Amino acid sequence: PYPKESCPIHTVLADHNTRRGQDEVFWRQDGTSFFVQYVCAPVMKTGKCVGVVVIFEDITERKYAYEAMRQSEAQLRLITDAVPALIAYVDTNQCFRFNNKAFEQWFGLAREQVYGRHLKEVLGELAYQAIHEHVEQALTGHRVNYEAPIPYQQGGTRDINASYIPDIDGQGEVKGYVALIHDITAHKQAEQRLAYLAHYDTLTGLPNRTLLNDRLSQAMARRSAAHQTQVAILFLDLDHFKTINDTAGHSIADALLREVGERLSACVRIGDTVARLGGDEFAIILIDLIHKIDVGQFVQKIPDCLSAPFKIDGHEIFVTASIGVSLYPDDGLNAETLLKNADTAMYLAKQRGRNCYQYYSAALSAKAATRVSLENSLRQALARDEFVLHYQPQVDLATSRITAVEALVRWNNPRAGLVLPAQFIPLTEDTGLIVALGEWVLHTACAQNKAWQLAGLPPIRIGVNLSARQFQQQNKRTIVNHILHILQETGLDPHYLELELTESVLQTIEVAGMLRTLRGTGIQIAIDDFGTGYSSLSYLKRFPLDKLKIDKSFMQGVPDDPDNVAITTAIIAMAHSLKLKVIAEGVETLAQLDFLRSLKCDEIQGFLFSCALPAPELQELLAAQSDTL
Ligand code: C2E
Ligand code: MG
Ligand code: MG
């Protein structure tokens, strides 16, 4: 292919120097090309060049094979570099022959610092010690898979999952092995975190219900029957926690729960368990108790441990707890029953007035079961339309006429007959059912009042009782909106609706805004059971109010009981000087009536005039009154 001046044969002939050529492209007569490698050497004879020897070699095949190999190696690198796992090939001398980029990055080394080096050199002595047994196994032709923590050069340890795949040739000889390594540190941490979450309460860091059950089962298994020891389970519920949560806010309530957890944990012995079951419920396992008295002594310590006020964020919070106790083996043979029985006992402690403890007993449990069944039928009562309203007249003392009625709910229970509110309202408040029931009452009362008006009776106000819970449960807008919506739906003029609230509702300043909105529409606001709420009287100035209802307990013994006379006299005088109307409840005798008249009490309500009546009877009373007009 050469012109004469650059042809190697001619140049060798001219200067007698051997020439070599690499990758020269030669052409065949038929026009195809091939790669050639050649040596062209002079043949010297007595100092004269007599010819040249040329050896040509067709290297086309070799060249293509080499290209193919380079290409496949580049592809291999591309592929292995794309893998996040660490990949390496180690030969029988335990030296690296290949590694991917992830491998270099993990060790912080360049390829040259790995290639050809011994494992120990690259990994460091400690890491090598941790894995060398697995390496030897792989080099004897076994596939190895293991997880281990490995000292990490950049500090600490990392968890790895490694697979070693031996490289065995056709003769069965091991040539080395491929190592495939995943860093599973993050995964392990997530696993540990999950295990923690599954067993501990995140707010307090105390064991949760699952771990409590485990510990309880362990304690039961380890209990020494020979020594007749007992295991006690305490179910502890904070009293009035809901109020704290609603008034002080969630973050303070959370901090309170944490501190309660800490104080309880400080009370117990090593080996005992304090757990949080959720909300304001805690459980304590006391192990190896010799006598029941030991439990009593411990339980009596709890009020002391909680008695110092909790100082949180500038607030001073006082906390008490109701505690139920069950004992293994007396009160149950498995964790579930023991916990359930302790819970039942706690429930009874709450009913006994809270801030006390109660041992489980089967007889008491039956009582609690009645309550549960009452609770269940109460849930269905609304859907089954079992509630009715009775209406008790309120009489204006100046005119002796009925100016209002109070709507009082009753439960027409198919088995128990007519149940009075004292027996079920507290339960509906505990369960939150009061919200739906309250709406039903309000709607029915407003609709009834409108119906009387449409029937041509003289218009009167209707008083409806609202529970504190109705204000807490719903956000401010909804309770106000609900009331306004019901008025709109029933078409009752707001002036004919009076809401009866107890002093406990007026604990938060937000309620003032809600009441202002309601009162702005013409609705009247009365304070029910006035004088029993133990709260500061300053709310009488702060809240927009129309009326005080003197609690019926103050009517007892009037006009002979000097204390009740003094209280009633003072309430009426105070109400009038604050420009509030005042009504006395529970008026049963003429003597009481005369006394109230003499004090210029505005209205009365009581059995003297009428008890609460079903709607048709009340309608007759109203109709009779309008006839006499
Ligand atoms: P309250 O609002 O103070 O209602 C007055 C209670 O005193 C009624 O009892 C009534 O029957 C009773 N009473 C009326 N006159 C006399 C009397 O001369 N002597 C005596 N000893 N008692 C008299 P009731 O109907 O059993 O209601 C008890 C409480 O249940 C109510 O007290 C009220 O707090 C609550 N309640 C009733 N209905 C509802 C309701 O719809 N919603 C809510 N949240 N609470 C209600
Ligand atoms: Mg009332
Ligand atoms: Mg009352």
Side-chain angles (χ1 to χ4, degrees):
Y2 307 104
K4 193 171 175 192
E5 55 282 11
S6 60
C7 167
I9 299 175
H10 285 91
T11 41
V12 170
L13 280 173
D15 65 9
H16 309 166
N17 287 331
T18 302
R19 294 275 185 307
R20 288 170 202 280
Q22 198 89 37
D23 289 359
E24 305 279 325
V25 180
F26 276 36
W27 297 91
R28 298 197 187 86
Q29 297 250 298
D30 64 3
T32 57
S33 66
F34 59 103
F35 289 95
V36 163
Q37 174 177 304
Y38 69 82
V39 182
C40 186
V43 180
M44 305 299 288
K45 204 165 188 183
T46 57
K48 274 183 74 182
C49 175
V50 294
V52 291
V53 175
V54 190
I55 303 164
F56 293 101
E57 192 183 352
D58 180 345
I59 59 161
T60 310
E61 289 287 309
R62 200 179 343 140
K63 192 169 163 64
Y64 283 160
Y66 178 70
E67 281 297 319
M69 198 179 75
R70 268 180 48 147
Q71 217 169 26
S72 88
E73 195 186 302
Q75 279 168 355
L76 178 69
R77 206 155 270 300
L78 196 70
I79 294 165
T80 53
D81 282 353
V83 176
L86 280 54
I87 300 174
Y89 184 96
V90 177
D91 67 16
T92 44
N93 295 322
Q94 304 197 6
C95 293
F96 285 99
R97 290 289 153 204
F98 180 88
N99 67 273
N100 69 346
K101 195 166 243 109
F103 189 96
E104 288 154 30
Q105 283 165 349
W106 204 78
F107 283 99
L109 298 172
R111 183 156 298 160
E112 311 78 73
Q113 294 171 292
V114 182
Y115 186 81
R117 311 242 169 178
H118 193 270
L119 277 172
K120 204 185 292 186
E121 239 183 304
V122 174
L123 308 183
E125 182 67 37
L126 280 175
Y128 181 73
Q129 286 311 323
I131 66 159
H132 85 276
E133 267 179 41
H134 302 295
V135 170
E136 271 149 31
Q137 238 187 316
L139 289 178
T140 51
H142 295 93
R143 200 186 162 113
V144 190
N145 207 318
Y146 66 93
E147 275 184 23
I150 294 285
Y152 191 47
Q153 261 127 340
Q154 265 108 303
T157 60
R158 309 281 299 174
D159 287 296
I160 60 155
N161 175 316
S163 300
Y164 294 166
I165 303 123
D167 174 20
I168 303 170
D169 70 7
Q171 279 72 51
E173 200 177 323
V174 178
K175 296 287 182 197
Y177 68 89
V178 177
L180 185 66
I181 294 151
H182 294 272
D183 183 334
I184 54 164
T185 314
H187 181 80
K188 278 264 164 197
Q189 281 166 350
E191 244 176 35
Q192 278 162 5
R193 175 101 191 113
L194 277 180
Y196 179 84
L197 288 179
H199 291 102
Y200 288 89
D201 166 48
T202 41
L203 178 67
T204 58
L206 294 175
N208 65 7
R209 191 182 285 271
T210 312
L211 188 54
L212 176 87
N213 278 327
D214 282 0
R215 297 252 178 103
L216 186 51
S217 304
Q218 281 171 22
M220 281 159 31
R222 273 205 304 262
R223 162 195 175 254
S224 155
H227 293 98
Q228 301 213 311
T229 59
Q230 293 193 310
V231 178
I233 296 88
L234 276 58
F235 199 110
L236 185 148
D237 187 290
L238 303 184
D239 298 329
H240 304 295
F241 180 73
K242 223 192 138 3
T243 314
I244 297 170
N245 212 355
D246 288 340
T247 51
H250 293 304
S251 64
I252 288 177
D254 281 355
L256 176 69
L257 289 172
R258 271 194 290 269
E259 251 193 70
V260 168
E262 280 167 28
R263 285 201 198 172
L264 292 177
S265 303
C267 276
V268 299
R269 298 167 307 173
I270 294 171
D272 294 342
T273 297
V274 178
R276 176 169 172 246
L277 303 178
D280 58 342
E281 292 176 349
F282 294 84
I284 302 175
I285 305 173
L286 305 175
I287 57 169
D288 286 338
L289 296 161
I290 311 291
H291 304 291
K292 201 169 174 180
I293 298 185
D294 296 344
V295 188
Q297 276 169 353
F298 175 81
V299 180
Q300 279 159 20
K301 269 196 334 204
I302 294 182
D304 289 343
C305 127
L306 298 177
S307 67
F310 289 82
K311 295 202 174 81
I312 297 165
D313 238 10
H315 292 66
E316 272 206 344
I317 303 173
F318 292 86
V319 168
T320 58
S322 302
I323 304 162
V325 185
S326 69
L327 295 169
Y328 173 78
D330 292 357
D331 300 331
L333 295 177
N334 60 52
E336 200 189 333
T337 312
L338 287 164
L339 206 60
K340 196 186 89 213
N341 289 346
D343 186 10
T344 306
M346 184 281 294
Y347 210 70
L348 294 164
K350 284 256 185 230
Q351 283 195 303
R352 271 181 40 204
R354 305 170 207 255
N355 193 18
C356 59
Y357 70 96
Q358 170 74 55
Y359 284 101
Y360 172 78
S361 90
L364 286 173
S365 154
K367 213 164 113 187
T370 317
R371 192 178 145 111
V372 169
S373 94
L374 187 71
E375 196 176 304
N376 284 339
S377 42
L378 199 55
R379 276 181 202 288
Q380 290 147 9
L382 204 57
R384 293 187 181 155
D385 217 12
E386 289 174 358
F387 291 110
V388 283
L389 289 187
H390 284 185
Y391 302 90
Q392 187 176 32
Q394 298 177 350
V395 179
D396 186 326
L397 286 186
T399 63
S400 298
R401 299 186 62 82
I402 301 171
T403 49
V405 291
E406 177 176 3
L408 294 162
V409 69
R410 274 95 183 84
W411 177 18
N412 227 331
N413 184 287
R415 267 176 296 157
L418 205 65
V419 185
L420 288 177
Q423 280 173 271
F424 64 89
I425 290 283
L427 202 54
T428 62
E429 286 173 337
D430 284 355
T431 55
L433 208 64
I434 187 67
V435 176
L437 176 61
E439 264 172 48
W440 178 87
V441 168
L442 197 64
H443 192 278
T444 311
C446 290
Q448 181 61 72
N449 201 16
K450 181 71 185 176
W452 284 326
Q453 290 179 6
L454 291 176
L457 295 165
I460 52 166
R461 257 177 296 114
I462 190 141
V464 175
N465 294 285
L466 289 184
S467 277
R469 185 75 196 268
Q470 282 172 272
F471 280 85
Q472 290 165 3
Q473 263 301 296
Q474 307 166 325
N475 63 48
K476 294 149 219 166
R477 298 205 114 225
T478 54
I479 176 83
V480 172
N481 286 353
H482 270 308
I483 295 171
L484 299 181
H485 182 74
I486 286 173
L487 283 171
Q488 213 171 34
E489 244 177 11
T490 55
L492 183 71
D493 181 331
H495 291 92
Y496 295 115
L497 175 64
E498 181 168 274
L499 300 176
E500 295 192 6
L501 320 174
T502 52
E503 290 164 66
S504 62
V505 177
L506 308 179
Q507 283 189 347
T508 53
I509 199 77
E510 292 104 70
V511 172
M514 297 191 236
L515 295 186
R516 214 159 277 130
T517 312
L518 292 169
R519 201 159 171 267
T521 68
I523 294 174
Q524 314 233 352
I525 311 291
I527 299 303
D528 203 356
D529 305 341
F530 183 76
T532 59
Y534 306 107
S535 56
S536 132
L537 288 176
S538 63
Y539 70 80
L540 293 176
K541 285 187 306 189
R542 265 187 286 134
F543 289 88
L545 305 172
D546 296 283
K547 195 196 251 182
L548 301 185
K549 297 191 77 179
I550 306 175
D551 189 68
K552 56 180 173 290
S553 60
F554 298 123
M555 275 309 113
Q556 278 166 19
V558 166
D560 299 327
D561 180 318
D563 290 344
N564 280 350
V565 164
I567 292 171
T568 311
T569 311
I571 293 178
I572 295 174
M574 181 180 66
H576 284 160
S577 66
L578 287 168
K579 308 259 176 316
L580 298 172
K581 292 245 177 207
V582 60
I583 178 169
E585 284 191 272
V587 180
E588 296 178 351
T589 66
L590 281 169
Q592 289 168 336
L593 179 67
D594 288 342
F595 168 72
L596 292 164
R597 250 193 233 286
S598 74
L599 293 178
K600 302 225 162 11
C601 181
D602 300 286
E603 293 172 359
I604 59 130
Q605 175 181 347
F607 295 164
L608 177 67
F609 189 83
S610 169
C611 61
L613 300 170
E617 286 171 42
L618 192 99
Q619 181 159 348
E620 275 172 37
L621 206 63
L622 282 179
Q625 175 174 264
S626 71
D627 289 345
T628 63
L629 202 68

